[in-house]
Amino acid sequence: MEKKYVTKAHYLLHGGDYNPDQWLDYPEILEQDLELMEEASANAFSVGIFAWSTLEPEEGTYQFEWLDKILDDLAAKGSKVLLATPSGARPAWLSQKYPEVLRVNERRQKMLHGGRHNHCFTSPVYREKTQKMNRLLAERYKDHPALLMWHVSNEYSGDCHCDLCQEAFRDWLKERYHHHLAELNHAWWGPFWSHTFSDWSQIESPSPIGESAVHGLNLDWHRFVTHQTIDFYRNEIAPLREVTPDVPVTTNFMADGNDLKPFQSLDYSKFAKEVDVISWDAYPAWHNDWESTAELAMKVGFIDDLYRSLKNQPFLLLESTPSGVNWHPVNKAKRPGMHQLSAMQMVAHGADSIMYFQWRKSRGSSEKFHGAVVDHDGDKENRVFQDVKQVGETLAGLAEVAGSLRPAKVALVYDWENNWALNHAQGYSRETKRYPQTVQEHYRPFWEQDIPVDVITKEHDFSKYEVVILPMLYLMDEATIDRITDYVEQGGTVVTTYISGIVDEHDLAYLGGWPAALQEVFGVSPLETDTYYPNDRNAVTYQDKTYEVNDYATILSLTGAEVLGNYEADFYAGTRAVTRHSYGKGQAYFIGARLEADFQRDFYAALIEERAIESVLPVTHGRGVSVQGRQVDEGTYIVFLMNFAEEKQTVVIEAEVTDYQTKESISGEVSLQPYEVKIVSHVKK
Ligand code: GAL
């Protein structure tokens, strides 16, 4: 069976962001680091992420000797390095001498020097300076035994509205609209509020985007920002590709907000094509006071499955905290057991590394209280260090997991452009569009039933899945409609919902009703969508049970579908809300309303049963337990039984499995303490 060793190492990485440049005046600390790294079974470090002012303290004056020593010392201990390019934060001399590198905000105000992640992505000077630094790093360390990967920049994000960026935006638009202003004016619905342009030079980035009425412009600005960020990244990696063609390249992706949505301001489906390895920085607010641990774990699983599916290969967890962070509203410590559990969840969903921000807590500035493997006390006996050590030891025993995948029969579609378009849409309700959360809602029942899911983009191949679910796909271009049609025709099952197929790729509404092809496939035609106030109530009856409707209810007319559920109340009482239609060799379901979680549970449970879609291991258990695994060999799975509930849980295993640690065979009832994880291996017959 093919394995995808994304890092080229045939084991799991354990380590994190290491900032020795903060400690060069403390040689005893650097010495101690090496000892503690060994003690924690740490074997990989991202080095030099914010080290530019140490590497080039003055323009053209370079200091690499300290980095030589760090890399040599790490190599001597058998550790590997994800060598960083330092573009995420620049030295003051650079901003002072070349102010064009400073970002301009959407109100056209130029930012001052300071902070990080705030450079202009277009600036030729910044591109030249970063490329030069990257070339020097590549040439100096290309043959270094510690060099494993490139960690390019840090968490690319944000946009710049300077004159250089405006010019680049206009050039990008000219390409996109074939140098025909009329084409752009049509796509942006120009005559609306007199927004027709008579010259390219009149076009500016939206300022600010939240108040901009021209939705085509907004959407294209988001696309341009992704394009320009990737273009900057390409410029950064050019010397790396040239000098070290065999060294894999990654950059760390993120998730958004406390509710862990996929990062919104860059289209990672485009960025994914440019990196060799997807990696992300996960900071869930464990033990918060607004949701259960299991609910949050489900959201983490969702992001993992999305970032894994982007390239259908293992990803790296590049940053996480061994305990609390410093930027949540409340920076809570991980409870005993949580670190091991959260680390194993990552591995179970496809991570080939557990890495931390940060190795050692910094002594000053804004991150001096951010969780770290080594605290200010430098003590290896403290609880957090011991938790990390436990994870290190477990990972060392799981080397065979590296490179393995998680085959799935079910796919959910997540689309960044759709999220942008829907968020800008003035209509429906301001508060409740919640596209990412809606996709999570459709992910939840599969997570609860331990069914592996790929979270794919609309461009991925649908044909390898039994079921493809496209919730709230408001923006559906014709290519996607064709792909859905072909997939169902050939025997696939699709599910879509209210507020899908409304606009095309320019955010222009489809004319003449719902696209004819969708009507044919789904056998329905959505007539209008009713938007609810928070206290409005309705219900849908489906399979003799009644489920609450919230936020949205679409009134449907039938063009051939069979009715599975009806509305209970209001002027559309008795009309259809949930339908199924046979088309070609396949089936197409339409869920017309936003329904409570139990509906998704029951609806997908029926589908799972009908299609005989298997969980990774035949088990039964209560809520809060998650059973996820990776296929390490033709028929062999390493399976993680994880208890995210705050109470003890019993899992009944209806197969013969082997305890991964003790090698004893087990089946039947296994009990899991709160936050306990048990690892087993399972040979599928
Ligand atoms: C990340 C960032 C790190 C560190 C961390 C703190 O977003 O990449 O450098 O600041 O947050 O949680």
Side-chain angles (χ1 to χ4, degrees):
M1 201 200 65
E2 193 210 356
K3 279 197 174 170
K4 294 185 177 174
Y5 293 107
V6 290
T7 66
K8 299 199 174 160
H10 289 209
Y11 52 85
L12 302 173
L13 307 185
H14 185 226
D17 282 21
Y18 183 38
N19 302 311
D21 43 309
Q22 293 178 19
W23 299 96
L24 296 180
D25 296 335
Y26 297 71
E28 68 289 355
I29 294 269
L30 297 176
E31 273 300 304
Q32 192 199 33
D33 280 337
L34 294 170
E35 271 164 49
L36 293 176
M37 287 168 176
E38 204 165 12
E39 177 80 18
S41 304
N43 56 25
F45 295 91
S46 304
V47 181
I49 300 178
F50 298 112
W52 199 340
S53 67
T54 310
L55 291 168
E56 192 180 0
E58 285 172 44
E59 187 171 16
T61 306
Y62 299 99
Q63 282 182 174
F64 288 108
E65 297 70 21
W66 66 271
L67 188 54
D68 298 347
K69 173 154 172 40
I70 297 291
L71 264 56
D72 291 349
D73 288 349
L74 289 171
K77 291 278 183 194
S79 275
K80 293 291 179 194
V81 166
L82 292 83
L83 192 55
T85 71
S87 65
R90 61 192 172 278
W93 60 257
L94 212 162
S95 306
Q96 187 182 41
K97 182 158 177 202
Y98 306 102
E100 74 167 50
V101 306
L102 296 166
R103 207 171 264 187
V104 170
N105 73 12
E106 56 188 4
R107 297 279 185 198
R108 313 303 191 242
Q109 294 155 325
K110 202 169 189 57
M111 304 288 97
L112 296 173
H113 178 78
R116 62 171 179 177
H117 303 161
N118 54 9
H119 52 271
C120 167
F121 286 115
T122 307
S123 157
V125 169
Y126 206 57
R127 286 179 176 222
E128 185 198 315
K129 292 287 175 196
T130 47
Q131 205 179 64
K132 173 143 199 221
M133 173 54 73
N134 298 359
R135 181 175 293 283
L136 290 173
L137 288 167
E139 275 166 359
R140 193 169 185 100
Y141 299 110
K142 62 179 191 293
D143 297 319
H144 199 286
L147 179 65
L148 182 71
M149 287 181 68
W150 289 105
H151 179 303
V152 179
S153 200
N154 194 62
E155 296 188 338
Y156 284 116
S157 61
D159 54 6
C160 173
H161 300 254
C162 74
D163 291 345
L164 292 165
C165 287
Q166 302 293 349
E167 209 42 54
F169 181 42
R170 288 188 281 265
D171 287 346
W172 180 83
L173 290 169
K174 284 179 194 161
E175 279 284 297
R176 180 169 175 80
Y177 295 104
H178 314 99
H179 294 263
H180 283 126
L181 202 47
E183 200 180 320
L184 174 142
N185 279 324
H186 182 266
W188 290 6
W189 210 240
F192 176 77
W193 290 356
S194 225
H195 280 98
T196 304
F197 296 106
S198 58
D199 193 274
W200 294 96
S201 63
Q202 296 152 5
I203 302 173
E204 290 248 357
S205 60
S207 169
I209 201 161
E211 290 167 22
S212 161
V214 182
H215 290 173
L217 162 66
N218 297 352
L219 200 50
D220 278 344
W221 176 251
H222 287 297
R223 289 177 175 135
F224 166 74
V225 170
T226 294
H227 163 88
Q228 199 68 352
T229 308
I230 291 175
D231 199 56
F232 180 87
Y233 158 89
R234 282 196 187 138
N235 181 74
E236 274 215 55
I237 66 166
L240 313 180
R241 292 289 194 216
E242 193 189 310
V243 182
T244 58
D246 298 326
V247 179
V249 168
T250 192
T251 185
N252 41 349
F253 288 178
M254 294 175 265
D256 251 350
N258 282 334
D259 49 356
L260 276 193
K261 298 180 290 295
F263 185 63
Q264 303 197 51
S265 54
L266 291 174
D267 184 344
Y268 281 165
S269 71
K270 302 253 171 2
F271 218 142
K273 296 179 183 148
E274 311 283 329
V275 296
D276 297 322
V277 187
I278 303 274
S279 45
W280 79 287
D281 301 344
Y283 293 105
W286 295 117
H287 321 293
N288 65 52
D289 66 353
W290 63 85
E291 67 194 337
S292 68
T293 309
E295 177 74 6
L296 183 53
M298 177 276 289
K299 294 175 181 174
V300 174
F302 172 74
I303 304 274
D304 280 345
D305 286 340
L306 170 61
Y307 292 174
R308 176 182 49 73
S309 304
L310 284 176
K311 287 186 94 70
N312 186 32
Q313 63 182 33
F315 61 91
L316 300 183
L317 174 68
L318 220 50
E319 289 181 27
S320 64
T321 176
S323 191
V325 295
N326 68 334
W327 52 269
H328 286 160
V330 172
N331 299 298
K332 207 171 167 81
K334 278 183 181 167
R335 314 333 273 169
M338 194 65 218
H339 183 54
Q340 172 86 350
L341 176 65
S342 59
M344 291 310 120
Q345 184 193 20
M346 287 286 162
V347 175
H349 281 266
D352 270 7
S353 72
I354 298 297
M355 312 267 287
Y356 310 109
F357 179 87
Q358 49 196 333
W359 168 253
R360 183 183 280 274
K361 228 175 230 190
S362 64
R363 186 161 184 204
S365 296
S366 71
E367 290 181 330
K368 64 177 172 293
F369 299 123
H370 190 290
V373 179
V374 184
D375 210 325
H376 294 140
D377 61 12
D379 185 7
K380 63 179 184 210
E381 298 309 322
N382 79 32
R383 186 180 73 92
V384 173
F385 189 91
Q386 288 298 316
D387 280 358
V388 168
K389 186 176 164 173
Q390 183 194 9
V391 166
E393 283 162 4
T394 312
L395 294 176
L398 282 169
E400 70 176 303
V401 169
S404 66
L405 296 171
R406 271 164 65 77
K409 292 265 171 253
V410 177
L412 267 163
V413 170
Y414 183 83
D415 184 51
W416 274 265
E417 296 195 343
N418 180 63
N419 189 41
W420 295 330
L422 199 50
N423 281 340
H424 287 297
Q426 269 173 284
Y428 307 110
S429 152
R430 227 172 267 165
E431 302 295 323
T432 62
K433 290 197 199 101
R434 298 171 58 80
Y435 168 65
Q437 295 89 337
T438 303
V439 185
Q440 280 169 353
E441 282 296 322
H442 287 257
Y443 174 83
R444 183 206 314 276
F446 296 99
W447 185 81
E448 287 176 348
Q449 294 194 46
D450 312 314
I451 307 282
V453 171
D454 283 352
V455 185
I456 61 173
T457 73
K458 58 184 194 278
E459 277 116 33
H460 273 87
D461 176 16
F462 294 168
S463 69
K464 63 181 202 188
Y465 302 103
E466 289 263 334
V467 180
V468 174
I469 305 161
L470 312 100
M472 264 188 121
L473 202 58
Y474 164 78
L475 184 157
M476 248 193 226
D477 55 6
E478 280 178 19
T480 306
I481 296 175
D482 287 349
R483 304 185 66 244
I484 294 172
T485 310
D486 285 351
Y487 171 68
V488 181
E489 220 162 50
Q490 300 306 316
T493 295
V494 292
V495 181
T496 195
T497 69
Y498 56 94
I499 317 185
S500 291
I502 310 293
V503 298
D504 68 8
E505 70 274 26
H506 302 299
D507 208 350
L508 292 175
Y510 281 111
L511 297 180
W514 214 39
L518 292 176
Q519 293 195 36
E520 270 183 44
V521 173
F522 288 90
V524 292
S525 175
L527 300 176
E528 56 180 307
T529 294
D530 194 13
T531 303
Y532 288 17
Y533 280 99
N535 292 325
D536 287 343
R537 287 285 171 274
N538 200 340
V540 161
T541 304
Y542 163 85
Q543 309 274 327
D544 304 328
K545 271 172 85 178
T546 304
Y547 303 89
E548 198 169 277
V549 176
N550 293 299
D551 306 332
Y552 300 108
T554 294
I555 303 166
L556 299 171
S557 79
L558 293 179
T559 57
E562 163 196 358
V563 177
L564 304 179
N566 287 303
Y567 289 109
E568 285 291 295
D570 220 318
F571 67 93
Y572 39 96
T575 70
R576 44 268 155 191
V578 182
T579 60
R580 173 175 54 202
H581 187 229
S582 300
Y583 177 80
K585 297 185 201 143
Q587 304 269 306
Y589 290 84
F590 194 93
I591 302 173
R594 184 172 284 172
L595 292 155
E596 63 178 299
D598 272 348
F599 173 81
Q600 274 77 246
R601 290 191 174 106
D602 294 343
F603 175 84
Y604 288 116
L607 210 55
I608 289 165
E609 200 184 317
E610 193 189 299
R611 297 296 139 91
I613 296 170
E614 290 181 354
S615 58
V616 63
L617 182 70
V619 281
T620 47
H621 53 73
R623 288 263 167 85
V625 171
S626 172
V627 177
Q628 308 285 340
R630 292 176 65 174
Q631 185 180 16
V632 294
D633 210 338
E634 219 42 74
T636 313
Y637 290 72
I638 304 295
V639 183
F640 300 77
L641 314 174
M642 299 172 280
N643 183 11
F644 291 96
E646 266 73 28
E647 34 327 293
K648 188 171 140 187
Q649 295 274 359
T650 304
V651 180
V652 183
I653 307 179
E654 290 141 17
E656 193 77 13
V657 298
T658 311
D659 184 305
Y660 203 67
Q661 260 112 14
T662 66
K663 307 289 173 220
E664 278 165 21
S665 113
I666 22 178
S667 77
E669 286 194 6
V670 171
S671 71
L672 293 175
Q673 296 303 320
Y675 306 152
E676 188 181 348
V677 49
K678 192 176 263 308
I679 308 170
V680 301
S681 80
H682 170 51
V683 180
K684 268 203 177 175
K685 300 265 155 53

